[in-house]
Amino acid sequence: MTVQLRPSAAACPGCIAAPAEPAREMPREAQIALSLPGIHCSGCIATVERVLNAQPGVTNARVNLTLKRAMVQAAPDTRAADLIPVLEQAGYEAHELDPGALSATTNDRAGRDLLMRLAVAGFASMNVMLLSVSVWSGAEDATRDMFHWISAAITLPAIAFSAQPFFLNAWSALRVRRLNMDVPIVLAILLALITSLWETSLSGEHAYFDAALTLTFFLLAGRYLDYRTRAVARSAAEELAALEVPRALRLEDGEEREIAVSDLRVGDLVRVRPGGRMPVDGEITQGRSELDRSLLTGETLPVYAEPGTIVSAGEVNLTGPLTIRASAVGQDTSLHRMADLVAIAESGRSRYTSLADSAAKLYAPGVHILSALSFLGWLLYSGDMRTALNIAAAVLIITCPCALGLAVPAVTTAASGRLFRKGMLIKHATALERLAEVDTVVFDKTGTLTAGTPELTNLGDHSRADLEIALALAEGSSHPLSRALARAAQEAGIKPAALSDLKEIPGFGTEALCRGRRVRLGRAAWVGAEQGDQTAAWLAVGDAEPLAFTFTDALRPGAEQAVAALQASGKRVLLISGDTTPAVRALATRLGISDWIAEALPQDKAARVQALTDEGRKVLMVGDGLNDTAALAAAHVSISPASALDAARVASDIVLLGHDLGPIADACETARKATKRIRENFQIATVYNVIAVPLAVAGLATPLIAALAMSTSSITVSLNALRLR
Amino acid sequence: MDVLTFLIPISLFLGGIGLVAFLYTVRSNQYDDPEGDARRILNSDYDDHPKP
């Protein structure tokens, strides 16, 4: 939520001279963007809008169901934090979005521009086709010439406007002396226009105005589909980035002030509340707590923190409030240094050539040579420049990559839409093609296969009386282990014991008095127990031997199915984690993964992925932490869950939006089918060319045949793509 | 065939109206939320009077 302030420079010159006071700045309405992942029907729209509009200060709220967002205009002092609880009460999950990170308008301009060009091309081609049909059905002499002239009058301005993207692309390719798909397109369009104008001025029989326009129309349709798919992915990715509103609490003369993370400087004192993420690297000056480092290292065991402990940006503070003196901010934090590793690994991936590119590489020179040969052949055979040029134009038009231009975007649109509904976001244009080739899958453990939330494992080992005390103590803390313990005990029907003097000691645990005896729940050392290799909370009742409550990281839903399905489809599955050996071994056994590596450093992960790649394997890396980032970038294709760190999401090609891991196996299958459809589409387009090109070279092609070949191949290709659903 | 002098301009004009209408809808953001708009039509909130 940002409150936009009007510039203070007032209209009268006297006021400009006056010092700008904050009071003079008239606050404008606040723009609040909310993400509503749960809305899905007209009832939801109505409820959300009614609830929001009923809030004091809200002037207008509008829901966008396509983007699952609500935009709220409200009085300047309204905060998203006031609106979210109201929505949650109404039964809708809501998150604040950073409006600065949502640059919807700029994206939209490009899409709108394409849509306008598409509309103009469609309008013009329909009108010209109407005239062409009359010519084909037998209009002659003056009537035919008039129809051709009218067609020319419609076509020339329409092409000048709607084919601009192709002209620009072709020009930028030619300028660096390269060929792309747009060069034959532009050549075909221009040659068709020139020969048609020439023919028309000589009262000739054949004009290709309709062909030039339908060609533009179909190709623009392909471009637009391509754009839409990417725009949807981009807006959802932006939304993920916008979810983390970068704010920090800076201590100024002992008072907390909320500021943007980008305004923090080295030496600032920053307050991090329990549950908050470290915005900077630094040293703890005040407070005791425990830190969750799993996103950075993969370790699940929380680390004890006290004044003097060095912390890195990205770690999560668990129990007590901490004050940190910043030692590195912004780009210098260890979080950002990791990005350099990613950049190095990325350069390897750009070597991949998409199917469309490799088709174009084969296709563009072939078409030019064929057309030039038929021009030369006919020029030598008939000695007539006009006939030769006409035939060369016909060859170019008929071979023009209409169907090729649609072949890839039509399939990727269908496949991406299908995966998006299952909760996967395809970020990279060639991600689907690369996913289809995968034969090895590498998983990270913490936060990827596991949900990052602990689960109590030995509830049955304890007496009811101990459990009652443990539950009462656990309810006094918001530590993840305490919450897991409390949840498990409540589900087992345990009632909390009556305790007095309950207090939480940040970094250690909770302590209370129970019928005169001191009871403690917390770290091993604090209650006088030996630290084992498992995640555990210890309960000490009076002077009795401390009891261990052991925890395991809960599996993410769908993890077992995903691993089983991937193994069933013949892929090699590996588990590489930064966590301790016993924890990794336990999980690998549970999931049936025989190939696992524990205590891996970030470099080890990337090196292992690289080694697999060098063996000729196509690796899919699934990971969420900073320690996975380099491996994500080094892999052939990568997936990260939406809960991953920003850096990991940026490095990956596909983002998993939901909690469920199940879609990963489906995605591989969908990607394989999609690639098959793309290849089929190329074959269909080739078959049409094989039939039509000899006719064109032989000089038998008429505008009618060109129009038929072009339309039928484009439509067959689109229909074939739709079969994917 | 003289009738063509009327028919062709008329057909172009009618098609042009469609084009202009489409461009108007694009410019006024009417394709921003196709899914939501499809559902809103089923909402009976403003059946009796327009939204103020």
Side-chain angles (χ1 to χ4, degrees):
Chain A
M1 189 197 75
T2 52
V3 179
Q4 291 178 331
L5 299 172
R6 220 174 256 166
S8 64
C12 93
C15 301
I16 297 176
E21 293 166 40
R24 221 175 263 283
E25 296 176 354
M26 281 295 292
R28 220 174 29 182
E29 283 197 319
Q31 270 273 6
I32 302 172
L34 296 170
S35 162
L36 305 161
I39 59 169
H40 58 85
C41 69
S42 63
C44 305
I45 300 180
T47 320
V48 170
E49 287 186 352
R50 201 179 53 238
V51 165
L52 285 177
N53 280 322
Q55 285 304 299
V58 173
T59 48
N60 185 28
R62 186 155 176 105
V63 171
N64 186 327
L65 185 65
T66 318
L67 298 170
K68 297 197 192 289
R69 258 183 221 164
M71 295 301 291
V72 183
Q73 265 110 43
D77 55 344
T78 317
R79 298 167 53 91
D82 308 330
L83 302 176
I84 291 172
V86 185
L87 281 173
E88 275 171 1
Q89 219 162 33
Y92 296 102
E93 184 187 345
H95 306 282
E96 184 189 358
L97 295 173
D98 183 5
L102 300 170
S103 52
T105 42
T106 50
N107 287 347
D108 214 10
R109 198 166 301 144
R112 205 181 278 183
D113 187 62
L114 263 180
L115 201 57
M116 297 253 193
R117 293 184 203 282
L118 183 66
V120 169
F123 161 80
S125 67
M126 278 189 281
N127 281 291
V128 171
M129 191 57 82
L130 197 69
L131 298 165
S132 302
V133 168
S134 329
V135 173
W136 298 333
S137 44
E140 280 180 325
D141 307 325
T143 320
R144 186 180 65 207
D145 286 350
M146 186 182 72
F147 281 2
H148 279 165
W149 280 119
I150 297 174
S151 303
I154 300 171
T155 308
L156 292 178
I159 293 271
F161 173 68
S162 39
Q164 267 173 26
F166 305 116
F167 294 149
L168 292 177
N169 274 342
W171 172 238
S172 56
L174 283 178
R175 216 173 30 190
V176 292
R177 290 161 194 285
R178 279 178 46 198
L179 280 181
N180 61 7
M181 202 73 133
D182 286 332
V183 177
I185 292 171
V186 167
L187 200 64
I189 292 174
L190 289 182
L191 206 56
L193 289 182
I194 292 166
T195 53
S196 304
L197 272 179
W198 193 5
E199 281 294 294
T200 308
S201 64
L202 295 173
S203 310
E205 207 179 325
H206 297 319
Y208 287 99
F209 292 117
D210 63 299
L213 274 170
T214 30
L215 187 66
T216 318
F217 176 73
F218 279 127
L219 289 170
L220 278 173
R223 291 285 150 97
Y224 185 67
L225 281 182
D226 202 35
Y227 173 81
R228 283 297 309 170
T229 318
R230 269 186 243 169
V232 167
R234 201 171 33 233
S235 84
E238 261 175 12
E239 193 166 306
L240 287 174
L243 269 175
E244 287 171 30
V245 184
R247 299 268 167 74
L249 293 170
R250 184 163 66 188
L251 288 180
E252 291 169 3
D253 307 323
E255 271 183 61
E256 290 179 8
R257 241 190 79 192
E258 196 176 74
I259 59 159
V261 167
S262 51
D263 292 339
L264 286 175
R265 296 282 166 269
V266 172
D268 279 352
L269 285 176
V270 183
R271 169 70 50 90
V272 183
R273 295 200 177 129
R277 195 171 277 179
M278 306 290 160
V280 291
D281 288 0
E283 187 188 332
I284 297 176
T285 57
Q286 211 182 358
R288 281 169 207 281
S289 177
E290 283 184 298
L291 298 176
D292 178 358
R293 290 195 159 149
S294 61
L295 276 175
L296 280 87
T297 60
E299 293 168 65
T300 40
L301 226 51
V303 183
Y304 174 66
E306 59 183 355
T309 309
I310 305 294
V311 296
S312 310
E315 293 175 353
V316 177
N317 179 12
L318 290 178
T319 44
L322 291 173
T323 307
I324 299 166
R325 183 173 298 282
S327 62
V329 296
Q331 301 298 322
D332 303 324
T333 57
S334 48
L335 201 85
H336 274 275
R337 279 203 302 272
M338 213 69 174
D340 299 340
L341 264 177
V342 176
I344 296 165
E346 284 259 273
S347 61
R349 187 183 292 166
S350 56
R351 280 195 302 260
Y352 182 83
T353 2
S354 70
L355 283 172
D357 280 349
S358 42
K361 226 170 255 170
L362 210 69
Y363 173 87
V367 169
H368 291 153
I369 292 167
L370 192 66
S371 167
L373 281 181
S374 33
F375 175 76
L376 283 178
W378 277 91
L379 191 61
L380 293 176
Y381 172 73
S382 65
D384 183 6
M385 182 77 166
R386 186 178 151 193
T387 323
L389 199 60
N390 261 339
I391 285 167
V395 170
L396 262 188
I397 291 167
I398 281 189
T399 53
C400 204
C402 228
L404 282 182
L406 274 172
V408 179
V411 175
T412 36
T413 307
S416 308
R418 190 186 153 125
L419 290 176
F420 187 67
R421 273 193 297 282
K422 282 187 186 163
M424 299 194 92
L425 189 67
I426 315 292
K427 270 174 57 199
H428 202 279
T430 59
L432 271 178
E433 291 170 25
R434 283 183 276 133
L435 188 60
E437 297 174 352
V438 162
D439 56 6
T440 307
V441 186
V442 177
F443 279 102
D444 166 51
K445 186 180 86 75
T446 319
T448 307
L449 282 175
T450 61
T453 50
E455 205 173 45
L456 185 65
T457 48
N458 63 344
L459 185 77
D461 299 352
H462 302 284
S463 72
R464 200 171 176 89
D466 288 339
L467 282 172
E468 282 170 358
I469 296 171
L471 171 60
L473 284 167
E475 281 179 342
S477 160
S478 60
H479 190 283
L481 293 185
S482 295
R483 278 200 307 230
L485 176 58
R487 198 171 45 240
Q490 279 159 357
E491 273 168 21
I494 310 283
K495 295 271 175 288
L499 301 179
S500 57
D501 293 339
L502 183 80
K503 57 179 184 243
E504 179 169 16
I505 298 159
F508 296 103
T510 38
E511 186 182 64
L513 287 177
C514 175
R515 289 188 223 104
R517 279 183 306 171
R518 196 191 63 184
V519 288
R520 277 178 164 182
L521 177 74
R523 299 182 72 83
W526 187 55
V527 299
E530 202 56 24
Q531 173 71 51
D533 55 11
Q534 259 185 315
T535 313
W538 296 78
L539 175 72
V541 181
D543 296 327
E545 182 76 2
L547 301 166
F549 287 89
T550 53
F551 295 88
T552 167
D553 211 354
L555 271 187
R556 219 178 238 272
E560 274 167 288
Q561 293 91 312
V563 170
L566 287 170
Q567 281 173 335
S569 62
K571 293 183 180 63
R572 189 171 152 198
V573 178
L574 284 89
L575 175 64
I576 305 182
S577 173
D579 207 355
T580 52
T581 309
V584 179
R585 184 196 297 129
L587 184 83
T589 325
R590 188 164 163 194
L591 290 173
I593 302 175
S594 53
D595 226 342
W596 54 269
I597 299 170
E599 291 167 43
L601 295 174
Q603 299 87 301
D604 298 344
K605 289 197 178 196
R608 185 80 187 103
V609 168
Q610 194 56 51
L612 285 166
T613 310
D614 292 341
E615 280 172 33
R617 292 187 164 270
K618 307 281 187 201
V619 182
L620 161 64
M621 172 79 201
V622 190
D624 78 318
L626 194 58
N627 55 339
D628 302 314
T629 313
L632 285 170
H636 192 55
V637 57
S638 49
I639 300 181
S640 67
S643 57
L645 265 194
D646 214 20
R649 281 202 312 259
V650 169
S652 57
D653 301 298
I654 301 172
V655 175
L656 203 57
L657 295 172
H659 270 292
D660 198 344
L661 278 185
I664 291 181
D666 292 347
C668 290
E669 187 55 22
T670 308
R672 209 184 48 75
K673 276 193 203 148
T675 316
K676 203 174 130 208
R677 292 274 174 275
I678 292 177
R679 286 181 199 285
E680 269 172 25
N681 277 351
F682 284 148
Q683 283 159 7
I684 293 174
T686 316
V687 166
Y688 274 103
N689 278 343
V690 166
I691 298 170
V693 167
L695 288 180
V697 176
L700 297 172
T702 61
L704 176 61
I705 292 179
L708 279 178
M710 192 153 28
S711 312
T712 33
S713 66
S714 299
I715 291 167
T716 345
V717 162
S718 313
L719 289 179
N720 189 42
L722 286 180
R723 280 204 303 145
L724 193 70
R725 273 166 204 278
Chain B
M1 279 303 189
D2 289 346
V3 72
L4 284 176
T5 28
F6 300 105
L7 285 181
I8 290 172
I10 288 173
S11 82
L12 281 176
F13 176 71
L14 289 177
I17 291 179
L19 180 67
V20 169
F22 179 73
L23 294 186
Y24 161 74
T25 58
V26 172
R27 277 182 191 279
S28 55
N29 298 333
Q30 297 191 29
Y31 299 94
D32 280 3
D33 183 16
E35 218 168 300
D37 293 338
R39 312 271 178 149
R40 272 174 207 277
I41 201 168
L42 302 172
N43 191 334
S44 54
D45 276 2
Y46 300 106
D47 279 1
D48 301 329
H49 58 89
K51 190 175 180 180

